[in-house]
Amino acid sequence: MKHIKTISNRVLKDTMKNGGCGECCAVGNQSCKNN
Amino acid sequence: MIHQYKNNGYNIVLDVNSGSVHVVDDLVYDIIALYEDHTIDEIVVELEEKYSERDMREAYGEISELKEAGQLFTEDVYEPYIDSFKDRPTVVKALCLHIAHDCNLACKYCFAEEGEYHGRRALMSYEVGKKALDFLIANSGSRRNLEVDFFGGEPTMNFEVVKQLVAYGRSQEEAHNKKFRFTLTTNGILLNDEIMEFANKEMSNVVLSIDGRKEINDLMRPTRNDHGSSYDIIMPKFKKLAEMRNQNNYYVRGTFTHNNLDFSKDVLHLADEGFEQISVEPVVAQPTDSYAIREEDIPVLCEQYDLLAKELVKRKKAGNGFNFFHFMIDLTGGPCVAKRLSGCGSGCEYLAVTPWGDFYPCHQFVGNEEFLMGNVDEGIVRTDIRDMFKNCNVYSKEKCKNCFAKFYCSGGCAANSYNFHGNINDAYDVGCKLQQKRIECAIMIKAALAENE
């Protein structure tokens, strides 16, 4: 694209499929394998 | 929902509900502000003095393409999902063991009132700690990784018990298919070679408390009985421990107050002293405290975050960067939406344990009898408190629903909300403004570093 550079093309909605497993205060930098 | 802002020369567009982030030119930046309420023809008329029609139609097409791909102007579809998520059974994942309600420093801002938590001095016995670990194993369901924070007060004042509890935890791992991650938070006064070696062998993370420049640190973190500068005692030890850990899996962690609104200098001081994992955080205090952050301090603090973010970009590009806890953000991975919206886990997945074995929702609530949930002998007695915390999420807080930061902040700290508003389903307003600024800076840093990719 000429006018837009995408830094993250994250689609959080996709994590509803495999998310919520519960295996995950010194969220934004937390790490989460199917997801 | 779109959040667009300018920072350090970048035009940044965050699509809040998808998590997508875009760096755009001035043309797209202006069109996005009009996109939802105007047709392309109306936009062309509105912006005709700034841009050519051809460019505007081209940019509009790019925006529409990203909207079609679910990366711009996406809807919030998560509230019903979170409602079903919170109906799941609770497992306990983590305990904060208050190994010592005693301290060898007299920090002026300590929420634990110089380590004693509004009560008596006490050390946790091995028996109480063992029961706490047994409770964690029994109530963690099928979850394998369990976290245990050794906290205080100052946990090294009861270090024999720390060692015994680590050994007990390790002895239980295989039989129960569990893996303990132990962490230690220390003021460093008692650190010695034996403790450092033990910490490096057994602690997944070590938090080393220091506020930054010597005069700032010693103002708020005095030794008891005039034992000299705490900075002079701890700094060489912290440097040694950070090197022993290869500059990983630790934080030097400080607090800034109204007394050092120029806190970026403290962060950079710690970086210049060689630390690569740094967190310096705003004090949370009552407005009556002389060192409390005030509403009128916010613009100065936001400028400081901007200064720090620019310097961090410069250093990272030069190859001598460091990590600043509140600027660390994972835009492409990170947790699922269920985790992002359901918060930190206090009161249900995470509990604090006093030296005599009482359970509280987290270390910030310890000593407030209203939040006493149970104990290591009887388990959780006040399931109503647990359920209150379990139901506390972004959608239970009016202030969070339309906030661009909600997927990175998860609704803020329940203890701060309670301390300022008397209930956990509100938000601490000063904290919100600083958190929003930090997230803007963190995304800008990602954008700046992506230029080189």
Side-chain angles (χ1 to χ4, degrees):
Chain A
M1 288 192 174
K2 185 175 159 188
H3 303 276
I4 301 174
K5 179 178 181 180
T6 295
I7 304 298
S8 162
N9 60 357
R10 189 73 199 267
V11 180
L12 280 176
K13 195 165 65 172
D14 292 350
T15 68
M16 292 166 74
K17 280 179 283 197
N18 294 315
C21 71
E23 278 298 317
C24 50
C25 185
V27 167
N29 69 42
Q30 186 165 28
S31 61
C32 170
K33 303 306 175 201
N34 298 318
N35 202 16
Chain B
M1 190 198 314
I2 295 289
H3 178 64
Q4 57 183 130
Y5 64 98
K6 294 172 184 275
N7 188 303
N8 196 21
Y10 297 91
N11 297 335
I12 295 172
V13 176
L14 167 65
D15 184 60
V16 174
N17 294 316
S18 72
S20 294
V21 177
H22 314 280
V23 176
V24 304
D25 62 13
D26 287 340
L27 168 58
V28 167
Y29 193 85
D30 287 347
I31 292 178
I32 279 181
L34 301 169
Y35 187 91
E36 287 190 291
D37 304 322
H38 297 75
T39 65
I40 177 60
D41 294 334
E42 289 170 336
I43 290 171
V44 166
V45 171
E46 180 114 3
L47 299 177
E48 65 184 349
E49 289 182 11
K50 285 180 80 174
Y51 308 108
S52 75
E53 180 173 348
R54 183 173 162 275
D55 284 349
M56 281 192 271
R57 290 189 182 276
E58 181 180 70
Y60 189 92
E62 290 187 11
I63 295 166
S64 300
E65 196 178 317
L66 286 173
K67 183 182 178 187
E68 196 65 31
Q71 293 174 32
L72 275 178
F73 300 105
T74 51
E75 296 296 320
D76 184 340
V77 295
Y78 306 116
E79 189 162 8
Y81 172 66
I82 290 299
D83 280 343
S84 65
F85 179 73
K86 69 189 185 194
D87 290 338
R88 297 181 189 188
T90 303
V91 297
V92 183
K93 299 176 176 183
L95 293 180
C96 180
L97 295 186
H98 289 226
I99 284 291
H101 275 192
D102 198 355
C103 192
N104 41 19
L105 290 183
C107 303
K108 295 173 184 171
Y109 46 53
C110 183
F111 62 81
E113 292 185 343
E114 300 183 5
E116 293 166 29
Y117 284 89
H118 329 289
R120 59 189 191 270
R121 292 186 180 191
L123 301 179
M124 181 179 283
S125 69
Y126 169 68
E127 288 70 28
V128 166
K130 180 174 173 292
K131 285 179 184 175
L133 295 185
D134 289 339
F135 169 87
L136 177 58
I137 291 168
N139 288 275
S140 55
S142 61
R143 181 181 161 82
R144 183 160 188 271
N145 293 317
L146 305 179
E147 302 149 45
V148 175
D149 305 320
F150 291 108
F151 203 69
E154 174 49 43
T156 59
M157 293 178 78
N158 192 15
F159 204 68
E160 281 308 309
V161 171
V162 171
K163 290 196 291 190
Q164 291 168 3
L165 290 175
V166 168
Y168 178 70
R170 296 283 180 238
S171 75
Q172 299 299 301
E173 287 179 327
E174 194 173 348
H176 297 282
N177 190 28
K178 303 291 183 186
K179 174 70 179 163
F180 281 101
R181 288 171 171 164
F182 294 110
T183 71
L184 174 71
T185 300
T186 179
N187 64 28
I189 296 292
L190 294 177
L191 271 186
N192 56 30
D193 287 347
E194 182 209 354
I195 293 175
M196 288 190 210
E197 282 167 21
F198 183 83
N200 290 339
K201 179 168 175 271
E202 297 289 2
M203 300 293 161
S204 301
N205 193 42
V206 179
V207 179
L208 310 170
S209 301
I210 183 169
D211 282 353
R213 292 165 290 180
K214 177 175 173 172
E215 64 274 20
I216 295 298
N217 180 82
D218 288 349
L219 174 68
M220 295 305 281
R221 303 181 65 80
T223 52
R224 291 179 187 263
N225 306 321
D226 291 330
H227 276 118
S229 157
S230 63
Y231 179 98
D232 288 345
I233 297 169
I234 62 178
M235 182 55 111
K237 297 178 183 184
F238 285 176
K239 285 182 176 177
K240 181 176 177 180
L241 186 55
E243 283 304 316
M244 287 169 81
R245 295 176 77 85
N246 297 317
Q247 292 292 339
N248 284 312
N249 300 315
Y250 79 94
Y251 277 100
V252 283
R253 191 268 182 204
T255 299
F256 68 80
T257 72
H258 183 72
N259 297 328
N260 60 319
L261 296 176
D262 59 350
F263 72 92
S264 69
K265 291 178 180 169
D266 294 290
V267 177
L268 297 176
H269 172 75
L270 292 169
D272 292 340
E273 290 292 330
F275 296 108
E276 294 181 23
Q277 314 295 338
I278 301 170
S279 187
V280 177
E281 307 170 14
V283 71
V284 178
Q286 291 303 319
T288 48
D289 293 322
S290 63
Y291 52 80
I293 302 292
R294 302 161 192 174
E295 190 81 33
E296 62 263 33
D297 295 336
I298 291 172
V300 177
L301 295 176
C302 288
E303 274 177 31
Q304 286 287 300
Y305 280 124
D306 278 337
L307 275 172
L308 186 59
K310 283 182 193 174
E311 180 64 19
L312 190 52
V313 168
K314 196 171 101 184
R315 292 189 185 206
K316 288 225 180 214
K317 285 184 173 178
N320 62 344
F322 57 91
N323 286 324
F324 181 64
F325 183 69
H326 278 152
F327 286 169
M328 294 166 72
I329 197 166
D330 186 345
L331 296 178
T332 53
C336 62
V337 76
K339 170 63 184 171
R340 286 169 187 266
L341 294 174
S342 53
C344 66
S346 62
C348 45
E349 296 178 334
Y350 172 90
L351 300 168
V353 189
T354 67
W356 44 93
D358 285 344
F359 289 138
Y360 285 89
C362 89
H363 55 292
Q364 297 261 14
F365 286 100
V366 166
N368 182 339
E369 298 287 322
E370 278 181 61
F371 288 92
L372 174 57
M373 298 176 68
N375 58 65
V376 293
D377 293 311
E378 299 170 284
I380 298 299
V381 178
R382 292 286 307 276
T383 54
D384 58 320
I385 296 176
R386 182 192 64 197
D387 293 344
M388 177 172 72
F389 276 82
K390 194 176 175 184
N391 290 326
C392 176
N393 62 56
V394 163
Y395 296 108
S396 68
K397 302 180 177 204
E398 276 306 315
K399 287 176 184 169
C400 299
K401 284 184 178 175
N402 295 314
C403 175
F404 78 86
K406 61 185 175 185
F407 289 97
Y408 301 104
C409 149
S410 296
C413 172
N416 290 352
S417 170
Y418 179 79
N419 288 336
F420 282 86
H421 299 290
N423 81 77
I424 65 170
N425 284 306
D426 207 313
Y428 164 49
D429 303 277
V430 169
C432 289
K433 286 172 182 162
L434 297 179
Q435 172 76 316
Q436 289 164 347
K437 182 64 185 177
R438 292 192 296 253
I439 289 168
E440 287 186 344
C441 288
I443 293 173
M444 181 284 287
I445 291 168
K446 288 286 187 190
L449 297 178
E451 277 184 331
N452 296 351
E453 292 169 1

